[in-house]
Amino acid sequence: MPVWFPVGWERGYQSPDENTLILSRGDEILGWARYSPDTPTAYFGPILVLRRARGNHFGALLLLECMIRARDRGARAMIAGWANTGFYVRLGWEISRRYAVLEKEL
């Protein structure tokens, strides 16, 4: 897949706030996730778990905690756009829309 985001897009997430969760073990950061607790629909993402820490359900833990926090702040639903579909479907999420990527040779 081509890279869709411009160089440096992640810099906007360098300053964690109350909507950013960081999962760590000691001084080592294993993963993080961000959500927007908008109401009535919250938004989830982005999320990252270090490749070597995957397979331990850390992503599910981060997602669940974000869902709980959004619900506690009044959200009734949560959307994860541009997502790894399999991860969310395995956790009980439903696909609500699909995007098509179009291309034309110039």
Side-chain angles (χ1 to χ4, degrees):
M1 295 295 290
V3 175
W4 294 339
F5 300 103
V7 173
W9 69 270
E10 71 283 358
R11 289 188 195 116
Y13 299 103
Q14 287 181 341
S15 300
D17 59 22
E18 74 257 7
N19 299 332
T20 302
L21 301 180
I22 298 173
L23 179 66
S24 63
R25 182 177 345 182
D27 292 336
E28 180 185 28
I29 294 176
L30 299 174
W32 63 275
R34 186 171 174 94
Y35 71 104
S36 298
D38 301 337
T39 58
T41 303
Y43 294 89
F44 179 75
I47 180 173
L48 172 86
V49 174
L50 293 179
R51 188 173 309 276
R52 62 183 160 69
R54 293 177 187 168
N56 295 298
H57 306 287
F58 293 146
L61 176 70
L62 287 164
L63 174 58
L64 180 58
E65 183 62 25
C66 288
M67 291 169 56
I68 290 169
R69 290 180 185 210
R71 183 201 60 203
D72 289 350
R73 292 172 73 177
R76 295 191 313 253
M78 184 174 267
I79 292 174
W82 299 99
N84 176 346
T85 308
F87 169 73
Y88 294 92
V89 170
R90 281 191 304 273
L91 296 171
W93 286 51
E94 296 178 2
I95 297 171
S96 63
R97 66 184 97 138
R98 294 183 185 268
Y99 298 95
V101 177
L102 306 173
E103 182 177 339
K104 170 107 174 102
E105 269 190 52
L106 302 177

